[in-house]
Amino acid sequence: MLSNIPSDHADAFLAAQPWLHNLDHVAFSGKIKAAKPAPAAFHHCVVAMRAAPTDLLFIDDREENVLAAQAMGLKGHVFTELDELAPSSTPGCRLDEPRGNDT
């Protein structure tokens, strides 16, 4: 997960959201010193996940952030409603199938 949370809020947010500990990696912009849509924020996640950019899916409600992720080689999805998010984040879901705002 990549979030533009400032450093002074990151620890409290992490403590208040125990489900975040189930994720492979959590990156808060204030901690990694890079915020979306800066390429450095996405590069940090690629390196931290030890993955190829094309192996990662970036989902955001801001098109500029998704476009920036795609420019770095990540797959991207702009979402506006929860019901369209679920199919895009389901393991095995093909992102090349038309689905709302998939980009």
Side-chain angles (χ1 to χ4, degrees):
M1 183 185 85
L2 172 60
S3 178
N4 281 352
I5 292 179
S7 183
D8 59 339
H9 290 78
D11 293 334
F13 184 76
L14 191 58
Q17 304 295 329
W19 62 272
L20 291 172
H21 297 283
N22 296 327
L23 301 178
D24 291 332
H25 184 67
V26 177
F28 296 125
S29 59
K31 296 281 188 178
I32 66 169
K33 307 296 185 216
K36 303 174 287 184
F42 301 106
H43 178 75
H44 167 87
C45 293
V46 170
V47 171
M49 294 295 295
R50 298 179 184 184
T54 55
D55 292 336
L56 301 177
L57 169 62
F58 178 75
I59 300 170
D60 201 282
D61 63 341
R62 298 185 65 186
E63 185 175 27
E64 69 181 282
N65 292 339
V66 173
L67 291 173
Q70 290 173 325
M72 294 292 297
L74 284 74
K75 296 175 188 142
H77 175 79
V78 178
F79 79 95
T80 56
E81 297 180 22
L82 185 58
D83 63 341
E84 79 175 30
L85 177 59
S88 294
S89 59
T90 302
C93 177
R94 293 187 48 183
L95 291 176
D96 56 350
E97 295 173 351
R99 192 184 330 274
N101 289 331
D102 282 2
T103 56

